[in-house]
Amino acid sequence: MAINWTTLTGPKSVSGSVANYVNRSDLPINDILTEAEALIYQDLRTDDMLVRTNITLLEGDASAALPADYLSLKTFRPYNYDGPMFYVPPDRLVEALDRNGNHSSGTPSAFSVMGKTMRFDVAADRDMSGVLFYYARPAPLSASNETNFLTEKFPSLLRYAMLYFAYEHMKDQALGQEYMAKYAGQLRSARAVDDLNKMGMWFPGI
């Protein structure tokens, strides 16, 4: 039987459902799925989660909003720029400020990320656009979104995460930790699969 939202969240009578695995019919299954997805997207980064979008820094601004589904950064490459822009941690970004604390105007050369905002070292002296590659949080599984790359490529990872939270809800710490260990093993496998998929790729300059 295919793994999908209907199967995983089905009642105890459905083979393959989390309720069937734990033999309980009173689980807050939607909350369990939400928690499982949050855990996985906190821990996992694969090319299946990689998104490309355009970011524009408007003239006079030193910051730009990131997409709502942003999880973490890959690269930012402004148009007509020699390679990706230099990223620095938030506390290492040297912002050019005048005596009143206003950003000096110029061509940004470095940026950082704070929450869901890109911050640049100077305010742009003209509109500047570029391509942002980032890891995005996939749309939640639901009745209208039955499958995604987890159900298709890493179904055990998702199931073990859900079973961990199911047993946590049932206050069964022993079985909860057992499934957390299984989840951790599947997470290592998922990362290894993503690494293997990159083997044999040609990268210019390497």
Side-chain angles (χ1 to χ4, degrees):
M1 180 181 292
I3 299 300
N4 54 36
W5 178 85
T6 296
T7 300
L8 289 168
T9 63
K12 187 171 69 171
S13 59
V14 173
S15 177
S17 69
V18 171
N20 181 273
Y21 269 85
V22 301
N23 196 30
R24 288 277 292 268
S25 58
D26 60 345
L27 296 174
I29 196 64
N30 290 326
D31 292 342
I32 286 170
L33 176 57
T34 296
E35 289 180 305
E37 289 178 310
L39 176 65
I40 292 170
Y41 299 142
Q42 170 185 295
D43 293 338
L44 185 65
R45 296 290 182 271
T46 75
D47 283 351
D48 297 286
M49 301 166 67
L50 199 58
V51 172
R52 169 183 172 147
T53 192
N54 289 330
I55 290 288
T56 297
L57 180 65
L58 298 176
E59 180 181 354
D61 287 348
S63 64
L66 288 164
D69 60 356
Y70 174 90
L71 285 175
S72 60
L73 175 74
K74 183 71 172 178
T75 58
F76 176 59
R77 183 186 295 269
Y79 298 124
N80 301 318
Y81 198 87
D82 187 18
M85 182 175 282
F86 187 55
Y87 169 84
V88 294
D91 62 333
R92 300 287 183 87
L93 181 66
V94 179
E95 298 176 85
L97 305 174
D98 62 21
R99 67 178 63 186
N100 296 316
N102 299 312
H103 282 86
S104 298
S105 180
T107 300
S109 61
F111 76 101
S112 191
V113 172
M114 295 182 66
K116 292 294 183 73
T117 303
M118 296 177 69
R119 295 185 61 87
F120 295 84
D121 55 345
V122 298
D125 56 7
R126 62 185 183 281
D127 288 359
M128 184 186 76
S129 297
V131 178
L132 175 73
F133 288 91
Y134 70 100
Y135 293 99
R137 181 187 176 92
L141 290 169
S142 66
S144 60
N145 184 39
E146 288 269 349
T147 62
N148 63 13
F149 80 97
L150 290 179
T151 61
E152 294 165 359
K153 295 177 66 174
F154 309 116
S156 294
L157 180 70
L158 178 57
R159 190 191 303 281
Y160 290 156
M162 290 185 69
L163 286 168
Y164 163 71
F165 284 109
Y167 283 114
E168 284 286 297
H169 171 76
M170 295 162 60
K171 299 183 175 14
D172 190 328
Q173 297 295 321
L175 281 173
Q177 289 307 307
E178 178 181 326
Y179 277 98
M180 175 52 69
K182 291 183 177 182
Y183 165 80
Q186 285 296 313
L187 182 64
R188 289 191 294 271
S189 296
R191 288 169 172 165
V193 166
D194 192 59
D195 289 340
L196 284 172
N197 288 339
K198 294 181 175 69
M199 291 181 65
M201 293 183 180
W202 177 71
F203 295 96
I206 297 180

